[in-house]
Structure formats: C-alpha cells, structure tokens
Amino acid sequence: MTVELPFAPVDDVIRRNAGDLRVSAGAAEELAGRVQRHGASLAADAAERAAADGRKTLMPADFGVEQVVERSTLTLPIAPVDRIARLDIDDSYRVSMDARVALADILEDYADNVARASALLARHADRRTVQADDIETYFALFEG
C-alpha cells in the first residue's frame, strides 16, 4: 500500500507532542501509514452511512462531526486526506469539502493522541528520539 499522506506534516504533529525529543523518519512514516489506514476505514464507514441515507456524497455528519473546524487550523493537508478517504470506497462516491476537512481534523486528533503516547514511551525507554518502535508499541498496547 502506498502512503498518500506526506511524512512532513505527520512529523510536525509528532514534534508538537514530543517536546524536546527528536523524531525519527521511521516514526513519521509509521504514523502516516497508521493514520492512512484509520482514515480509509472511517471513510468506508461514512460511505455506508451515506448509502443508508440514499446519498453518494459523504458529509461531515457521516463522520460524526457536527461542527467543522476552520481548514487553516489543520496541520494535515486536505488533498492527501481526500485520496485517503477514497481508498476503500466505491468510485461513485464523492467527498464534500467539509467532509474532507472533518476527516482531516479527526485524523489529526488521532495522530496527536498516538504521538503524545509515543513520546511518553520514548521517555520511559530513556531515549531522546521518538522511533517507529514507539508508534508500534502504542498500537500493540492500546489498540492491539
């Protein structure tokens, strides 16, 4: 699977949660892949909700979002999030701009939570760098 999400904004998300720790390229890559899989899964669920309502356009409510944040407040770019949303849904579905922003916000919150916990794991291991192993350990402990 090709990762659609650029690593740089994911690296930024990790850094804002890591404080004085460094971030390995592997950590950014690992988290980007996890965020992408999570986003594709959320979009597939949203497509099912839209289909149940007789729609072919995904809306923020299909992602459980009532209030869409301002696009400029997000770190994750919208275009790759749109491609992520389309990975596991039929080509006949559309994703509204507000739904893309809502999904980007959800995925950024998800990445923040993982990054925060991964930084704690790195500190606990007495390392100065958040590594891919920290991301993997988070998922093994909390989502395994």
Side-chain angles (χ1 to χ4, degrees):
M1 167 179 70
T2 308
V3 178
E4 299 288 340
L5 195 59
F7 301 151
V10 175
D11 183 82
D12 290 344
V13 170
I14 298 171
R15 286 179 192 285
R16 78 172 170 227
N17 287 282
D20 60 344
L21 297 178
R22 290 177 272 171
V23 178
S24 74
E29 183 177 358
E30 179 66 26
L31 185 54
R34 299 282 186 147
V35 166
Q36 177 169 309
R37 286 189 290 280
H38 184 62
S41 174
L42 291 174
D45 293 344
E48 288 178 14
R49 284 189 281 284
D53 285 347
R55 291 181 285 107
K56 287 289 190 177
T57 301
L58 277 58
M59 305 300 287
D62 297 321
F63 291 99
V65 174
E66 293 180 22
Q67 183 73 28
V68 179
V69 300
E70 199 57 46
R71 181 179 179 174
S72 62
T73 65
L74 298 172
T75 301
L76 297 182
I78 301 302
V81 169
D82 179 47
R83 289 190 297 275
I84 289 168
R86 297 169 189 280
L87 288 173
D88 292 343
I89 63 174
D90 188 88
D91 289 341
S92 64
Y93 284 97
R94 296 184 51 186
V95 182
S96 74
M97 180 55 76
D98 281 349
R100 294 174 205 171
V101 172
L103 180 57
D105 184 33
I106 291 167
L107 294 178
E108 194 163 319
D109 285 345
Y110 177 79
D112 275 325
N113 291 333
V114 174
R116 193 173 307 108
S118 297
L120 286 172
L121 291 167
R123 283 188 185 93
H124 181 72
D126 202 27
R127 282 187 278 102
R128 295 179 43 195
T129 304
V130 177
Q131 299 175 354
D133 287 347
D134 299 313
I135 306 290
E136 293 166 359
T137 300
Y138 168 85
F139 284 100
L141 290 173
F142 300 108
E143 294 195 4

